[in-house]
Amino acid sequence: MTAGSQEDWPLIGRSAELGSIAAVLRRGERGGVLLTGEAGIGKSRLARAVLQRCREDGMLVVTATGSEATREMPFAAVANWLPEGAPPSTRADFFGAATRRLRSAADGRRIVLGLDDANFLDDVSAALVQHLVTTVDARPLATARGEAAGREPVAALRRRGLVEVFEVRALTGGEVGELLRGVLGGPVDGLTSELLCRNTQGNPLFLRHLIDSGLETGALAERDGVWCWSGPLTAHTRLGDAVAAAIGTLTEADAEAMEYIAHAEPVEAGVLERLVPARVLEGLESRSLITVEPGGSRLLVRCAHPLYSEVTRARTGRLRQRRVFQRLAGVAAGPDEDRLRLVDWRLRAGMAVSDDQVLGAAEDALTRCDPRLAEELARQVPRRAAVGVLGQALVAQGKAEEAESLLRSATTGDLIAVRAINLLWGLRRPEAAEEVVRTAAVAAPELGVAELAIDFFGKGAIRAVGRAQLESVNPVVAGAAATLSAYLRTFAGQPGQVVAEFGELGLSHVWASLRGAARACHLHALTLTGRPREALRTAERYYAEAIAEGDPAEVALIALERGVCESWSGRVRNALPHLREARALVTDAMPFPIQAYVVSEYAACVSALREPEQTTELIAEARARMPRRSGLSDHMTFGEIRVLANSGQTAHAANLVESLVHRQIATGRLTNAVECQYYLCRLRPSVQAAELLTELAARCDSPAFPLFAEHARTLATGDVGGLESVATRMAELGYHGMALEAATAGADVAAAKGDSRAAARLGRVAEQQLAECGGFRRVWLGPVTGPQPLTAREREVCELAVAGLDNAGIAARLAVSVRTVGNHLQHAYAKLGVRRRTDLAAALELPVLPGLPL
């Protein structure tokens, strides 16, 4: 499978240039256009689009293509401009015949000369172009690579003022993403879009070859409806040829310099100058093949394009690579050189390096947040000596099984803690993690961090903890501690404190997925403290930073929280693409809480948008990604409850969430309790439920929670003025979904009371908020008052019957007699006009969702 010819691709990001160039060719005064830019940037594609527009505008378009093979052959490029028959014997005959033919064919229309690769036109053809421009007012539209724009014959067109120069720019990141979606026919995850954009630098030709490479090797594949790239870029043959053509001819010295830079970039200019003559580097810079930029007090040199490096490395044999690193290490052996880089080069060169030096470099790599390099270096020394740094590097990369095999022999407190955390998050074995901590023969502060993680994610309990208890010198445990601090406070009723102090956490970049988890907590805390708009802005920044870092787990977490923020804002349709991206990025190598959160939230969103066919499988998957015993079980239950409510089983969902709230209060998860109780109050308003929400809100520090409680109270009491006030304040904060619910309920109550003016006023507010929500309404947004087909108990009995329980099971679930259940069902059958329980799902418009909680 390939992405097809570049000619078939949509012309993305060129509409402004297309219009401007066509306008130049249409205007009255004489003048043409020269398109310049690097190879593959899209000059020819843009020129062809302009020429097609010229044809549509009624102009006569004739084309010619220069080539290096025919540039010494007179008339070769423009032979098709002549009349059929014998070719002219002289240059004058040629010019006259071509002029007469084009003038006749034009019949008074404007003539446009399409000249692709104009720098390769032979001299006679170039002279004919200038002749036609001056005699028949032909307008040239020429293309040439940037470095060739100053050479003949292109220079002649510019010198005589016959063309206006347009430099064809590279596609932006957004345009590359749009192009990818158009070519692949579906959404593309942000990491893939960034990977392809960064490595092609917006060059469409390189992009096509990279896509073809990914499709052919399977690296680029559709996963859960989203196109994702997995694994490293591959040196595709056609891509390599295209890049080589863009680089152009290199001397032996040029090629050698490019090898040094490609294998060591960014490399200090001083190091290179000990290996390569300065004139060679200056020549490469002038040809835009390398870039030189400041790096502190030094100058750093890179290849000008990522693919120049990629292809150069791919085309360098192993023995040659070894020689490259030998020479780099030989000239960079001074006392001021970077120990990590020097050790890495010496190892790649096959030179002798002591174990102590390698381990020191591996520790440096871990400190610099490069666990991949730390692992690579640590594997160069005996396994026993490398346990600490290698174990941390493996855990930070999600290589949980191998990390456990290595850390099983750990004896120091910090490594025992790393092992316990890996058993918990990586291997989903909370009981084993607890046993490791309990039986540790040493004491260490890191073990306290592991205990907190086990309590929260294993047992579901939250303990108050001071910042001093979370301190650690171990990079991996320090990352876990920072994340735990954010989690514990966010879900223990202190989201306001998380918002206020998040900048002081000192997040570790060693374990990127945990940094992402802490940032996700920050975003959730912003959302829960009345700042959903700020949460969305911050999420965009975090997402861009996570994409730049390139860790799929971190990107998945931020994408997840973007979806959650959109849902809290009421824009559930906007949430779906973010949650779908997060779902596509989830792998078994990620800490299990990430997996479970992502799949659960995705299921709730899908069900809210009335796509129930996916939800049963998603809920089952979310459960399968969790340990048998986990503190996240209640979060999974809340996801399942939302699926039930979104599918119309609101009475059953309300009963389940009521039980869930009491468990959360008992375990100290006050924030979760507020979220769930608020949900209950909206599903089944009651004064008693509103009072409990008010009490819970008072125990937390979020300024938004009292507003949630007020919404619950006014909903339960039918307070029209209160509902209007709540709707206004919710809308001001950015909670448009809740504003819609309050305004809709207020309008319904006002109408039932005969207050038409208030009903109309609240109806207008509801319409405004519905527009803010993109037309999305919660399934329970029906009249609060007025006749109902079924009583609340009849509805609940019917929902349980649809869920699959028999009369005895329903009776046990509701603590009533089997006879009472039968009576409720008979009353419901009569009201709904059905005869049997198998008809209930259709009558109530309820999907059958096996596997959800009963």
Side-chain angles (χ1 to χ4, degrees):
M1 179 180 179
T2 65
S5 167
Q6 200 170 337
E7 285 299 305
D8 301 330
W9 285 19
L11 192 65
I12 300 295
R14 305 298 193 199
S15 56
E17 292 96 327
L18 182 59
S20 299
I21 294 165
V24 171
L25 298 174
R26 279 197 300 263
R27 68 191 183 196
E29 63 270 22
R30 178 176 298 172
V33 172
L34 171 64
L35 303 180
T36 67
E38 67 182 52
I41 204 66
K43 304 181 296 296
S44 300
R45 176 77 170 85
L46 176 58
R48 283 190 284 274
V50 173
L51 293 176
Q52 180 57 34
R53 180 168 292 188
C54 291
R55 292 187 186 95
E56 294 168 357
D57 288 345
M59 304 180 196
L60 174 66
V61 174
V62 293
T63 61
T65 301
S67 79
E68 192 165 11
T70 62
R71 67 182 307 172
E72 302 301 329
M73 299 170 57
F75 309 124
V78 296
N80 64 320
W81 294 2
L82 290 172
E84 294 183 5
S89 59
T90 67
R91 172 169 165 163
D93 286 345
F94 189 103
F95 280 28
T99 303
R100 288 190 298 273
R101 178 177 182 248
L102 295 183
R103 183 179 281 138
S104 173
D107 193 23
R109 294 177 294 160
R110 173 157 294 161
I111 300 172
V112 177
L113 309 175
L115 310 170
D116 203 16
D117 286 334
N119 51 296
F120 289 132
L121 290 177
D122 61 89
D123 292 342
V124 180
S125 296
L128 176 60
V129 169
Q130 296 179 43
H131 173 75
L132 291 171
V133 170
T134 56
T135 57
V136 297
D137 192 24
R139 305 295 173 90
L141 174 59
T143 71
R145 286 176 60 167
E147 67 272 17
R151 306 174 195 159
E152 300 296 345
V154 176
L157 295 174
R158 301 179 66 182
R159 190 166 54 247
R160 299 183 61 183
L162 301 180
V163 290
E164 183 175 335
V165 179
F166 280 74
E167 183 174 0
V168 182
R169 60 176 177 79
L171 298 178
T172 65
E175 290 164 350
V176 168
E178 184 182 352
L179 183 56
L180 287 170
R181 290 190 293 273
V183 170
L184 296 172
V188 180
D189 81 86
L191 274 176
T192 297
S193 184
E194 168 64 17
L195 175 77
L196 295 178
C197 180
R198 183 177 67 250
N199 282 281
T200 64
Q201 297 287 286
N203 184 301
L205 178 64
F206 294 167
L207 182 63
R208 179 170 70 85
H209 287 309
L210 262 185
I211 292 175
D212 284 347
S213 173
L215 292 173
E216 290 175 11
T217 62
L220 180 60
E222 194 172 18
R223 189 188 307 156
D224 298 310
V226 179
W227 286 91
C228 305
W229 188 290
S230 58
L233 294 178
T234 53
H236 191 284
T237 301
R238 291 190 296 277
L239 173 62
D241 292 343
V243 173
I247 292 174
T249 303
L250 295 176
T251 66
E252 185 177 344
D254 291 338
E256 185 177 26
M258 291 292 287
E259 285 179 343
Y260 290 132
I261 297 166
H263 285 86
E265 64 180 351
V267 58
E268 187 191 344
V271 171
L272 274 179
E273 288 168 348
R274 296 171 207 159
L275 295 169
V276 180
R279 58 176 175 74
V280 172
L281 296 175
E282 291 166 3
L284 292 174
E285 185 180 17
S286 68
R287 293 174 57 186
S288 298
L289 295 179
I290 64 173
T291 61
V292 181
E293 57 194 33
S297 61
R298 306 179 179 186
L299 290 179
L300 300 179
V301 183
R302 300 176 185 269
C303 289
H305 196 291
L307 288 181
Y308 295 174
S309 306
E310 183 70 31
V311 170
T312 299
R313 289 192 295 267
R315 294 189 170 188
T316 306
R318 291 187 178 181
L319 291 177
R320 178 61 186 170
Q321 287 181 9
R322 186 184 179 99
R323 176 63 175 161
V324 165
F325 283 114
Q326 283 176 352
R327 297 203 65 192
L328 283 165
V331 300
D336 296 331
E337 298 299 341
D338 185 325
R339 175 177 69 170
L340 172 58
R341 165 157 286 202
L342 185 55
V343 167
D344 185 36
W345 286 353
R346 289 178 66 87
L347 287 171
R348 294 177 189 277
M351 301 168 72
V353 188
S354 72
D355 289 351
D356 286 344
Q357 287 177 312
V358 176
L359 275 178
E363 290 168 357
D364 288 348
L366 205 59
T367 301
R368 298 183 193 183
C369 307
D370 192 343
R372 182 200 58 79
L373 180 56
E375 176 194 352
E376 188 176 328
L377 291 169
R379 291 190 184 280
Q380 304 296 317
V381 300
R383 189 178 180 89
R384 180 171 303 199
V387 166
V389 65
L390 180 56
Q392 292 180 73
L394 291 171
V395 170
Q397 294 177 84
K399 299 179 178 181
E401 290 285 357
E402 187 177 359
E404 166 58 13
S405 175
L406 182 71
L407 293 170
R408 198 175 286 131
S409 60
T411 56
T412 62
D414 66 323
L415 292 184
I416 292 173
V418 172
R419 182 190 175 198
I421 290 169
N422 182 58
L423 283 165
L424 173 66
W425 282 333
L427 295 176
R428 297 180 294 188
R429 295 169 56 189
E431 294 92 346
E434 186 176 0
E435 179 68 11
V436 164
V437 172
R438 187 183 64 80
T439 59
V442 293
E446 288 84 359
L447 290 171
V449 175
E451 283 183 309
L452 286 170
I454 293 165
D455 282 349
F456 185 77
F457 291 101
K459 302 175 183 177
I462 290 181
R463 288 193 282 120
V465 60
R467 184 172 298 173
Q469 294 174 262
L470 295 171
E471 292 179 355
S472 171
V473 296
N474 181 295
V476 167
V477 179
T483 298
L484 274 172
S485 177
Y487 263 106
L488 293 171
R489 298 180 187 190
T490 298
F491 295 104
Q494 299 173 317
Q497 189 175 0
V498 171
V499 171
E501 300 180 2
F502 188 76
E504 303 172 18
L505 272 183
L507 297 182
S508 169
H509 289 235
V510 174
W511 198 346
S513 58
L514 291 195
R515 178 184 61 211
R519 286 177 163 179
C521 284
H522 181 218
L523 296 174
H524 199 59
L526 284 169
T527 302
L528 294 177
T529 51
R531 300 154 79 170
R533 293 192 184 96
E534 183 181 347
L536 285 168
R537 291 194 301 271
T538 306
E540 289 181 10
R541 175 167 60 85
Y542 283 168
Y543 180 77
E545 292 174 0
I547 289 292
E549 292 287 340
D551 183 79
E554 184 173 20
V555 174
L557 274 165
I558 304 304
L560 161 70
E561 202 57 42
R562 292 179 84 182
V564 171
C565 291
E566 291 282 13
S567 293
W568 271 89
S569 299
R571 293 182 284 264
V572 176
R573 290 191 178 91
N574 289 0
L576 185 61
H578 299 306
L579 295 172
R580 183 181 288 129
E581 177 181 4
R583 163 98 166 92
L585 290 172
V586 163
T587 69
D588 291 338
M590 296 177 184
F592 86 82
I594 299 176
Q595 303 176 43
Y597 276 131
V598 167
V599 180
S600 175
E601 291 299 327
Y602 182 52
C605 183
V606 166
S607 67
L609 294 173
R610 317 294 167 81
E611 298 179 23
E613 63 278 0
Q614 296 184 55
T615 54
T616 300
E617 294 179 3
L618 289 169
I619 288 296
E621 179 187 343
R623 284 288 180 186
R625 289 181 179 276
M626 292 215 317
R628 181 180 55 82
R629 188 196 80 184
S630 170
L632 293 186
S633 292
D634 283 348
H635 183 85
M636 296 302 100
T637 300
F638 187 43
E640 294 163 350
I641 288 169
R642 284 177 288 164
V643 169
L644 286 170
N646 289 331
S647 64
Q649 301 186 47
T650 52
H652 182 31
N655 277 342
L656 291 173
V657 78
E658 189 172 20
S659 301
L660 178 60
V661 168
H662 293 293
R663 291 202 301 273
Q664 291 170 336
I665 294 172
T667 55
R669 301 168 77 104
L670 296 180
T671 304
N672 297 109
V674 167
E675 290 185 66
C676 291
Q677 185 70 11
Y678 185 34
Y679 198 78
L680 171 63
C681 290
R682 290 151 60 205
L683 283 178
R684 189 170 65 197
S686 74
V687 172
Q688 183 180 11
E691 288 175 349
L692 176 57
L693 180 56
T694 301
E695 294 173 12
L696 290 171
R699 295 170 63 182
C700 302
D701 68 2
S702 168
F705 287 179
L707 179 58
F708 297 169
E710 185 177 347
H711 183 192
R713 180 187 60 77
T714 55
L715 196 59
T717 59
D719 180 351
V720 174
L723 286 167
E724 184 171 9
S725 173
V726 167
T728 299
R729 283 181 285 162
M730 288 285 194
E732 289 172 350
L733 291 175
Y735 295 125
H736 300 292
M738 271 76 87
L740 171 61
E741 292 182 37
T744 300
D748 289 340
V749 173
K753 291 180 177 180
D755 189 346
S756 57
R757 183 172 296 178
R761 187 171 62 250
L762 280 160
R764 288 192 294 272
V765 173
E767 288 177 3
Q768 292 168 356
Q769 295 309 302
L770 183 62
E772 290 283 354
C773 294
F776 174 79
R777 293 168 57 93
R778 292 289 179 186
V779 67
W780 58 77
L781 282 187
V784 175
T785 59
Q788 299 290 326
L790 304 178
T791 67
R793 179 61 86 181
E794 288 166 353
R795 172 83 187 195
E796 185 177 7
V797 168
C798 288
E799 288 179 8
L800 291 172
V802 170
L805 289 183
D806 58 15
N807 286 14
I810 296 172
R813 177 71 178 79
L814 300 180
V816 297
S817 69
V818 174
R819 182 175 181 178
T820 299
V821 171
N823 289 336
H824 283 314
L825 284 173
Q826 291 303 318
H827 293 154
Y829 294 162
K831 291 180 180 180
L832 296 172
V834 300
R835 294 186 175 184
R836 58 187 68 85
R837 70 196 304 128
T838 53
D839 299 328
L840 287 173
L844 295 172
E845 297 182 349
L846 295 177
V848 179
L849 299 172
L852 290 179
L854 298 174

